[in-house]
Amino acid sequence: MDTRIQHPQSAPTQAAAAKGTAGGLPAWLVDRGLIPETSPKRAFAAATFINQIGKGLFISGAALFFTRSVGLPVAQVGFALGAAALIGLAAGVPVGRLADRRGPREVFGLAVVVQALAVAGLVFVRTVPSLIAFLCVAELAVSAGTAARGPLTRALGAPNPTRYRSYLRALNNIALGCGALAAGVVVQLDTRTAYVSLILGTAVAFLLSAALTSRVPSVPTVRAPAEGGRWPALKDKPYVVLTVLDGLMSIQTQVLIFALPLWIIGHTQAPRWFVGASVAVNTALVVCLQVRVSRGVDSNAAAGRTVRRAGAAFLLATALIAAAGGAPGWVAMVVVVLGVVAHTVGELWHTAGSFELSFGLAPEHAQGQYSGLFAIGQGLSNAVGPPLLGLVCIGWGGPGWLAMGALFLAVGQVVPLVVNWSDRSRAHSPVRT
């Protein structure tokens, strides 16, 4: 029986299929956009939701497991985590090419299984070298899964993959919160048994995600032109430049979780509990608005304009956060909330535009390879972001916040130019066209 995804259906056809297959309460949920309209979309949404619960568990409790349960020094754990993350980025492009040839669903499922086994192996860690070994395997699997997940999301979400990706992102924020809450219980117990349960629970979540992914239809591969070469993504100059620019813009993801808490506690008179409240505002807005913001972002030109608006929103946000420095407590709280709202609007715009460009500027036969390259820029931003924000925003104070905002604004202005450059290159390239 052929379970591969066929050509995308029209919107009326998809809506009819949704009503015909959902029925009753699911149809009501579909009509309001609370669940996807087709079974493959729902299966993959469930897989990513459970996967992100595991991720929330891991990122919220793994460091404490390594230090308090295993007994490794904090500095060595930090080095192991950073080194593994950088090594993991190397898998993106080659695994993306494998996904283009063998199918993204198959590669994604295998990557999640490998990730689950590597995470489960962490319970046997006793030394830093063994920690680095398991973490490197896990991060390589994460990078591989990211490269394969992109084209799979695009195929399932047709004819509007950005809208489907926005739905998944909103869902993922809820899942991460669930995982973090569960990890909070483990941290409160603070026992070896609790920490081991957290690690094994993460592995089980990944295995469940892989099992649900197997229910998603395979995506047929697209034959690559013989004259295109093996690594077209690395030779695509506009796309490489776009990857760098998006990596710079993606530093914004570290603003609210790294720089803002340090700024609130060390440079404002706002109460300490307000750190969690500011992040909660961001999470709520993302969950409620990500799908709505993605509407209309359905072309390269529209995506470029959206990223440009994001740069302006980030400048406004950093200016407001800078203004909170030294202000009275209630004034600082109000100004920071306004800054968080502005930053979240920019984050929503950047996410929608970035996703559309990552696929809209890539040829059909190399979606996985291009997705792996694009993920490198985002991965490097996670490594570069904290030290850069610490130096500029926290070290320089108010002027540093404005400098970061100006950087985001400049990047946003350049992205539409790169989009036009890429479109012109594709128009004159028979291979890519």
Side-chain angles (χ1 to χ4, degrees):
M1 179 178 179
D2 188 359
T3 61
R4 296 180 298 178
I5 294 175
Q6 303 300 324
H7 295 292
Q9 297 174 315
S10 64
T13 303
Q14 288 181 332
K19 292 183 179 180
T21 58
L25 181 60
W28 179 83
L29 295 174
V30 169
D31 289 340
R32 285 155 181 79
L34 298 179
I35 62 174
E37 64 273 17
T38 64
S39 295
K41 286 185 178 181
R42 291 194 287 270
F44 191 59
T48 55
F49 182 79
I50 294 177
N51 186 286
Q52 292 300 302
I53 289 179
K55 180 179 178 181
L57 274 170
F58 189 80
I59 64 177
S60 300
L64 290 172
F65 166 73
F66 300 140
T67 55
R68 297 188 63 80
S69 180
V70 180
L72 298 175
V74 173
Q76 294 181 9
V77 170
F79 171 78
L81 290 170
L86 291 176
I87 292 173
L89 294 177
V93 175
V95 173
R97 184 171 184 271
L98 180 63
D100 292 326
R101 300 180 63 185
R102 302 299 182 185
R105 187 203 68 172
E106 290 74 14
V107 173
F108 177 78
L110 178 60
V112 175
V113 170
V114 172
Q115 184 183 2
L117 296 177
V119 169
L122 291 172
V123 299
F124 302 107
V125 165
R126 295 294 182 272
T127 63
V128 173
S130 62
L131 173 62
I132 294 176
F134 280 110
L135 286 178
C136 283
V137 174
E139 288 294 339
L140 287 169
V142 170
S143 183
T146 300
R149 182 174 60 241
L152 182 56
T153 302
R154 182 180 186 273
L156 290 171
N160 190 349
T162 298
R163 180 177 176 83
Y164 181 55
R165 176 63 180 85
S166 298
Y167 171 82
L168 292 180
R169 184 169 187 264
L171 199 66
N172 289 347
N173 273 268
I174 299 174
L176 286 171
C178 294
L181 288 174
V185 175
V186 171
V187 173
Q188 182 65 31
L189 294 173
D190 196 32
T191 64
R192 169 72 181 178
T193 300
Y195 285 121
V196 169
S197 298
L198 181 145
I199 296 299
L200 295 180
T202 300
V204 169
F206 291 155
L207 289 175
L208 289 175
S209 175
L212 287 170
T213 301
S214 67
R215 299 171 59 88
V216 177
S218 295
V219 176
T221 58
V222 178
R223 180 175 297 178
E227 65 274 23
R230 297 182 61 186
W231 308 105
L234 301 178
K235 300 176 182 178
D236 191 333
K237 294 180 180 179
Y239 201 90
V240 171
V241 172
L242 179 67
T243 297
V244 174
L245 292 174
D246 188 76
L248 290 172
M249 186 75 88
S250 294
I251 293 174
Q252 59 86 10
T253 61
Q254 302 292 322
V255 169
L256 298 187
I257 62 177
F258 177 80
L260 183 60
L262 296 176
W263 181 253
I264 290 175
I265 293 175
H267 297 79
T268 76
Q269 298 180 26
R272 291 178 178 269
W273 60 262
F274 189 63
V275 170
S278 62
V279 176
V281 170
N282 169 261
T283 301
L285 290 175
V286 169
V287 170
C288 295
L289 299 178
Q290 184 66 75
V291 175
R292 181 172 299 180
V293 169
S294 69
R295 295 172 182 170
V297 186
D298 53 5
S299 67
N300 295 336
R305 292 192 298 269
T306 302
V307 175
R308 181 170 58 196
R309 292 199 300 270
F314 289 140
L315 176 59
L316 174 61
T318 55
L320 287 169
I321 293 173
W330 67 271
V331 175
M333 292 172 64
V334 171
V335 174
V336 167
V337 167
L338 292 176
V340 170
V341 171
H343 183 93
T344 304
V345 171
E347 179 183 345
L348 295 171
W349 281 336
H350 172 233
T351 299
S354 172
F355 182 78
E356 180 67 25
L357 291 175
S358 67
F359 296 108
L361 299 180
E364 290 292 331
H365 67 274
Q367 288 286 326
Q369 186 179 147
Y370 274 70
S371 178
L373 174 61
F374 203 76
I376 291 177
Q378 297 174 337
L380 288 176
S381 72
N382 294 330
V384 174
L388 179 63
L389 291 172
L391 172 65
V392 177
C393 296
I394 308 303
W396 298 356
W401 282 99
L402 295 177
M404 286 304 305
L407 173 63
F408 294 141
L409 177 66
V411 171
Q413 297 301 310
V414 175
V415 166
L417 303 178
V418 177
V419 171
N420 293 336
W421 176 23
S422 180
D423 285 338
R424 290 194 303 270
S425 299
R426 289 188 300 149
H428 294 85
S429 173
V431 172
R432 291 198 62 188
T433 302

